[in-house]
Amino acid sequence: MHIRARRRSIDFDGRKITLKIAVKYGVSGSDRKYEFPVRSLTGFHHQQATAWKRGRLEFTAPALSSAIVTDVPLFADKLPGNVFEYGYGDEKRVSAFVAAVNKARG
């Protein structure tokens, strides 16, 4: 399962979640990638999107950084490394993602 929004993407293969964040080319040369198993999640919060407000997925795990990623390219959001925001149009795919993650967590 793959979801992309505003220079961030999230992948889920049933066991592992991968959160990729685009950063400026000159700063580090590539995207930042955070991978963590679903079983290591200590917290998972979903705030649904509305027509006027972006939705938000927030993950808490020992390997995840909650520091704000500031070296993002133009038109990308400066968010913490453990947050994924999405628009109202992606609500259906994100709801399926949330259900799959909750099922995998047990």
Side-chain angles (χ1 to χ4, degrees), residues 1 15 26 32 35-36 47 54 71 106:
M1 183 174 294
R15 293 173 290 155
R32 288 203 185 147
E35 293 182 339
F36 51 95
Q47 179 181 350
R54 300 182 58 73
D71 56 345

Side-chain angles (χ1 to χ4, degrees), residues 38-91:
V38 174
R39 299 283 179 181
S40 72
L41 284 177
T42 56
F44 178 57
H45 177 70
H46 176 222
Q47 179 181 350
Q48 290 187 333
T50 64
W52 297 276
K53 190 172 180 181
R54 300 182 58 73
R56 185 177 182 113
L57 293 172
E58 188 170 344
F59 302 96
T60 307
L64 283 176
S65 171
S66 61
I68 294 179
V69 180
T70 58
D71 56 345
V72 295
L74 191 62
F75 302 116
D77 296 324
K78 293 180 181 178
L79 296 170
N82 63 339
V83 172
F84 180 77
E85 283 190 348
Y86 63 95
Y88 185 68
D90 292 325
E91 181 65 36

